[in-house]
Amino acid sequence: MLGAITAAIATAAAATFAGVHSMVPTSQLYGASFVGIAPGSRKLALTYDDGPNDAATEPLLDVLLRHQVKATFFMLGRYVAERPAIARRIAAEAHVIGNHTFDHPNLIFVTNAELRRQIERTQRAIHDATGVLPNLFRPGFGGRRPGTFAVAQSYGLTPVMWRVICNDWKATSSEFIERRAERAIRGGEVILLHDGDHLRMGADRSHTVKATDNLIRRYKDLGYEFVTVPEMMKA
Ligand SMILES: [Zn+2]
C-alpha cells in the first residue's frame, strides 16, 4: 500500500517535471528547436498557426502583400484538405509552409505511431494542395515529450518554436496583441501568431490581421527586416 502511494507520488512529481519542459517554448531539454537568432538582431520572423482559415488567411495575405513581407505558415493538414485554394495562394505568394500536424492533438499524449500518422497525412495534404513538401514542424500547443522532435526530424522536419507570444487567440483588440509583441521583441525572434483556430474553421482573427499591419509598419520604420524562418536560420 505504502509502496503504491510512494510510486504514485514519484509519478506525479515526474509528470510535473515533464510537464514544465513539455510546454515551455524555448526549452531545449526534449530536443533542439529553432526559436530565433541572437537577441538584438534586426530581423523578425512572423509565423502563423492553425490555418488555412477562410475568415482570416486571405485578408492577412493581402496585408503581407501590401508590405512585401514574407511569413511562415504552420498549417493543419485537415484545414489544408478543406481549403486547398488558400494553401495554394500562400505558396504562390512565396510564403513558407510548415507542418503543424493534421488535427492538432497535444503530442505529449500521442504515441509515436500516431505522431507519424499526423505528420504523414499533413505532408501529403500540403503537397497535394501546393506541390510543396514542408521541412519545418511545430507541435500544437507547443506540446512535446522526449522523442517527439526526433520523429519529426526523421521526416526531414526541423522543429520550430518561438520567443515572442502575443496571446492573440484571446485578444480583445489589435492593441492587446501589439502591446505584448512590443514588450517581448528585442530583435532576432520567431513571433507566434494565429491566422486560424484549431477548434474550428472560420474563426475571427481580424485583431491579428490588424496587429500584423501595425507591427510591420512600426518595426520597418525602426529598421527591422521581416524574414521567413528559413531565411532567419541562414542569418
Ligand atoms: Zn496550433
Side-chain angles (χ1 to χ4, degrees):
M1 182 62 188
L2 193 61
I5 292 168
T6 308
I9 291 168
T11 304
T16 305
F17 175 77
V20 169
H21 289 275
S22 296
M23 305 301 283
V24 174
T26 51
S27 172
Q28 303 293 316
L29 187 65
Y30 290 168
S33 64
F34 184 76
V35 296
I37 53 177
S41 309
R42 304 301 259 185
K43 292 183 194 298
L44 298 169
L46 295 170
T47 67
Y48 297 90
D49 286 12
D50 300 346
N53 170 17
D54 48 16
T57 305
E58 297 216 74
L60 174 65
L61 289 170
D62 294 342
V63 167
L64 295 171
L65 189 62
R66 197 159 63 239
H67 291 289
Q68 287 295 303
V69 163
K70 306 299 180 203
T72 305
F73 289 80
F74 289 91
M75 296 184 187
L76 293 175
R78 180 181 135 211
Y79 291 161
V80 174
E82 288 176 24
R83 299 291 187 272
I86 301 177
R88 263 195 296 282
R89 181 178 166 195
I90 291 172
E93 296 184 2
H95 301 289
V96 172
I97 297 174
N99 184 321
H100 193 43
T101 74
F102 194 78
D103 54 13
H104 215 277
N106 190 329
L107 298 180
I108 293 170
F109 308 112
V110 159
T111 63
N112 280 355
E114 171 60 11
L115 172 58
R116 279 192 286 272
R117 205 176 69 94
Q118 289 275 336
I119 289 174
E120 288 172 15
R121 289 180 79 190
T122 304
Q123 292 291 85
R124 201 175 311 126
I126 292 171
H127 189 260
D128 286 352
T130 66
V132 171
L133 199 61
N135 53 25
L136 302 177
F137 175 75
R138 176 178 281 165
F141 313 105
R144 74 280 194 198
R145 55 181 175 69
T148 302
F149 285 169
V151 170
Q153 282 157 343
S154 75
Y155 289 91
L157 296 166
T158 300
V160 178
M161 302 290 273
W162 57 85
R163 282 210 309 256
V164 173
I165 188 167
C166 308
N167 293 3
D168 60 319
W169 63 90
K170 57 181 180 187
T172 49
S173 67
S174 66
E175 292 79 17
F176 173 102
I177 301 166
E178 292 161 42
R179 270 199 306 276
R180 274 162 184 74
E182 284 160 18
R183 275 208 298 264
I185 288 173
R186 304 282 178 273
E189 288 93 3
V190 173
I191 300 171
L192 171 65
L193 291 161
H194 296 77
D195 62 323
D197 180 340
H198 67 276
L199 295 175
R200 64 188 180 90
M201 174 64 68
D204 181 358
R205 293 288 187 240
S206 54
H207 297 320
T208 298
V209 174
K210 189 174 174 208
T212 295
D213 196 6
N214 289 335
L215 286 168
I216 291 174
R217 198 172 301 116
R218 186 159 318 145
Y219 282 91
K220 272 190 167 181
D221 282 350
L222 291 169
Y224 287 81
E225 182 191 1
F226 287 88
V227 295
T228 63
V229 167
E231 285 170 338
M232 185 175 264
M233 285 172 165
K234 276 186 255 153

PDB file of all heavy atoms in Angstrom, residues 49-50 100 104 140, ligand 1:
ATOM      1  N   ASP A  49      -0.151  30.179 -37.148  1.00  0.00           N
ATOM      2  CA  ASP A  49      -0.552  28.794 -36.913  1.00  0.00           C
ATOM      3  C   ASP A  49      -2.051  28.574 -37.145  1.00  0.00           C
ATOM      4  O   ASP A  49      -2.862  29.501 -37.034  1.00  0.00           O
ATOM      5  CB  ASP A  49      -0.247  28.399 -35.459  1.00  0.00           C
ATOM      6  CG  ASP A  49       1.240  28.194 -35.213  1.00  0.00           C
ATOM      7  OD1 ASP A  49       2.063  28.557 -36.077  1.00  0.00           O
ATOM      8  OD2 ASP A  49       1.569  27.687 -34.122  1.00  0.00           O
ATOM      9  N   ASP A  50      -2.370  27.323 -37.398  1.00  0.00           N
ATOM     10  CA  ASP A  50      -3.753  26.786 -37.351  1.00  0.00           C
ATOM     11  C   ASP A  50      -4.609  27.145 -38.560  1.00  0.00           C
ATOM     12  O   ASP A  50      -5.836  27.003 -38.503  1.00  0.00           O
ATOM     13  CB  ASP A  50      -4.486  27.205 -36.064  1.00  0.00           C
ATOM     14  CG  ASP A  50      -3.793  26.724 -34.798  1.00  0.00           C
ATOM     15  OD1 ASP A  50      -2.908  25.844 -34.910  1.00  0.00           O
ATOM     16  OD2 ASP A  50      -4.124  27.222 -33.723  1.00  0.00           O
ATOM     17  N   HIS A 100       1.988  21.456 -39.070  1.00  0.00           N
ATOM     18  CA  HIS A 100       1.514  21.710 -37.695  1.00  0.00           C
ATOM     19  C   HIS A 100       0.615  20.566 -37.209  1.00  0.00           C
ATOM     20  O   HIS A 100      -0.261  20.780 -36.392  1.00  0.00           O
ATOM     21  CB  HIS A 100       0.766  23.060 -37.678  1.00  0.00           C
ATOM     22  CG  HIS A 100       0.490  23.622 -36.322  1.00  0.00           C
ATOM     23  ND1 HIS A 100       1.408  23.621 -35.298  1.00  0.00           N
ATOM     24  CD2 HIS A 100      -0.624  24.218 -35.806  1.00  0.00           C
ATOM     25  CE1 HIS A 100       0.875  24.196 -34.225  1.00  0.00           C
ATOM     26  NE2 HIS A 100      -0.361  24.547 -34.499  1.00  0.00           N
ATOM     27  N   HIS A 104      -4.168  18.705 -34.753  1.00  0.00           N
ATOM     28  CA  HIS A 104      -3.787  19.441 -33.538  1.00  0.00           C
ATOM     29  C   HIS A 104      -3.940  18.669 -32.227  1.00  0.00           C
ATOM     30  O   HIS A 104      -4.387  19.224 -31.211  1.00  0.00           O
ATOM     31  CB  HIS A 104      -4.607  20.735 -33.457  1.00  0.00           C
ATOM     32  CG  HIS A 104      -3.861  21.900 -32.864  1.00  0.00           C
ATOM     33  ND1 HIS A 104      -3.739  22.097 -31.502  1.00  0.00           N
ATOM     34  CD2 HIS A 104      -3.220  22.937 -33.438  1.00  0.00           C
ATOM     35  CE1 HIS A 104      -3.055  23.226 -31.293  1.00  0.00           C
ATOM     36  NE2 HIS A 104      -2.720  23.747 -32.450  1.00  0.00           N
ATOM     37  N   GLY A 140       1.340  21.276 -31.996  1.00  0.00           N
ATOM     38  CA  GLY A 140       0.196  22.004 -31.455  1.00  0.00           C
ATOM     39  C   GLY A 140       0.383  22.266 -29.975  1.00  0.00           C
ATOM     40  O   GLY A 140       0.892  21.399 -29.252  1.00  0.00           O
TER      41      GLY A 140
HETATM   42 ZN    ZN B   1      -1.735  25.462 -33.180  1.00  0.00          ZN
END
